[in-house]
Amino acid sequence: MSLTVVGSIAFDAVRTPFGERDKMLGGSAVHFSLAASFFTTVRAVGPVGDDFGPDEFAILESRGVETDDIERVEGGKTFFWRAHYAHDLNVAHTDETQLNVFGEFEPKLSDASRTADALFLGNIQPELQRRVRGQCDARLVALDSMNLWIETTRDTLAAAIAEVDCLMLNDAELRMLTEEPNLARAARAAMEMGPEIVVAKRGEYGAALFTADGFFAIPGYLLEDVRDPTGAGDSFAGGFLGYLDGVGAEVAGASDADLRRAMAYGSVLASFNVEGFGSERVQTLTR
Ligand code: AMP
C-alpha cells in the first residue's frame, strides 16, 4: 500500500496564547505525511527552497517518508506562513503567506508517486492539486483546501473537488464553499459537487463523516494542555487516509467500520498534534 501527498511544505511562524515559534517546519504535506507514516508508505511531492536543509529532510525521513519527489529549487525560498491564534484556538488568523517556490511549481511525479494506491491533495493552489490529480490514478483520492482558495479560486477549486472521492474541510470552510449555513445540508451540497464522502473537521469538537446513507461523528480527545493547533487538520487527514490506505480500503468498498476506525485514528493524530508546536509532538511518537 502506498500514499502520495502534494501540499505545502513550509516554514511557519506561529504565535498562540501559550508561546511562539519564529521558524518551524510546517505545511499541509508535512503534517499529513508525518501522521500517515504510522500506517503506510508515504511519498511527499512539492518544491522547497535552498533554505530547506538536511535537518528538515531528516524529520520526514526518520518517519520513513519518501522524499525523492521533494524538489529543491536552488536560489528559491520555501513557502512561508505567519499566523496567530487568540483564545479561540479553532480560528487561525493568517498574517502573511509567501508562496515562494510554489508560485512556479510544475509537478512531475515519479513513477512510484504516480502509481500509488491513494492520493491526498493537501491544501495548496487548486490548480496544482488538479495537475497532480491528472498524473495519478490512485483508487482513493481525498482533498483539503481553505478559505483563501475558496475566496480567490472558487471555480478551479470546484473542478478539483469534482475529481476526488473524499472532501475534507473544516466546518466553516464547508459552509463557505456551499453557501449553506446548516452543516448537514452543506455536506449534501458538497457531495453533489462530486465526492462520495465528506469529512467536516470541527477543531476541538472532533469531526463528522457524511456518506450517501450514513453519518458518524467523533469528538477530539479531551486535552488539558493544548499549545498549538497548527496542522491538526492535516494530521487528522493523515491518520484518516493513512489508515484507509494501510488496510487497502477503496472508497466504494470502504466498509462503515473501516471509515469509523479511520475517523478514530484521525482524531488521535490530531489530538497528539495540538499538544506541541507544529509537528514537535508528533515527531516524538512511536507506534
Ligand atoms: P492546518 O492543518 O489547517 O492547521 O494547516 C496548517 C498548515 O497549513 C501550516 O503548517 C501552513 O504552512 C499551511 N498553510 C497555511 N496557509 C496555506 C496556504 N494558503 N496554502 C497551503 N498551505 C497553507
Side-chain angles (χ1 to χ4, degrees), residues 61-81:
E61 285 162 3
S62 68
R63 288 275 346 123
V65 176
E66 299 280 347
T67 58
D68 293 351
D69 279 1
I70 297 184
E71 195 182 313
R72 200 158 175 276
V73 181
E74 288 309 317
K77 263 186 81 183
T78 299
F79 182 105
F80 178 74
W81 183 63

Side-chain angles (χ1 to χ4, degrees), residues 7-12 25-28 31 79-81 85 92 94 97 99 123-125 144 146 148-149 170 173 201 229-235:
S8 51
I9 302 171
F11 285 121
D12 291 342
L25 177 62
S28 52
H31 289 292
F79 182 105
F80 178 74
W81 183 63
Y85 301 81
T94 295
T97 303
L99 287 180
N123 178 28
I124 197 63
Q125 299 104 298
D144 184 19
M146 73 182 294
L148 174 68
W149 309 119
N170 73 36
E173 291 159 354
K201 296 171 286 178
T230 304
D234 302 306
S235 300

Side-chain angles (χ1 to χ4, degrees), residues 206-236:
L209 168 81
F210 297 87
T211 57
D213 45 23
F215 170 74
F216 176 72
I218 189 160
Y221 186 82
L222 192 62
L223 296 167
E224 295 201 7
D225 283 317
V226 174
R227 287 192 187 81
D228 171 26
T230 304
D234 302 306
S235 300
F236 183 96

Side-chain angles (χ1 to χ4, degrees), residues 68-132:
D68 293 351
D69 279 1
I70 297 184
E71 195 182 313
R72 200 158 175 276
V73 181
E74 288 309 317
K77 263 186 81 183
T78 299
F79 182 105
F80 178 74
W81 183 63
R82 179 189 302 282
H84 68 275
Y85 301 81
H87 276 281
D88 180 358
L89 292 176
N90 291 321
V91 185
H93 302 275
T94 295
D95 300 311
E96 191 179 346
T97 303
Q98 295 176 12
L99 287 180
N100 296 333
V101 287
F102 269 98
E104 305 285 309
F105 179 53
E106 260 307 323
K108 287 177 286 309
L109 271 58
S110 62
D111 283 348
S113 291
R114 233 193 331 261
T115 55
D117 302 295
L119 172 65
F120 183 62
L121 302 171
N123 178 28
I124 197 63
Q125 299 104 298
E127 182 52 43
L128 280 180
Q129 293 179 314
R130 293 197 71 196
R131 273 189 253 151
V132 171

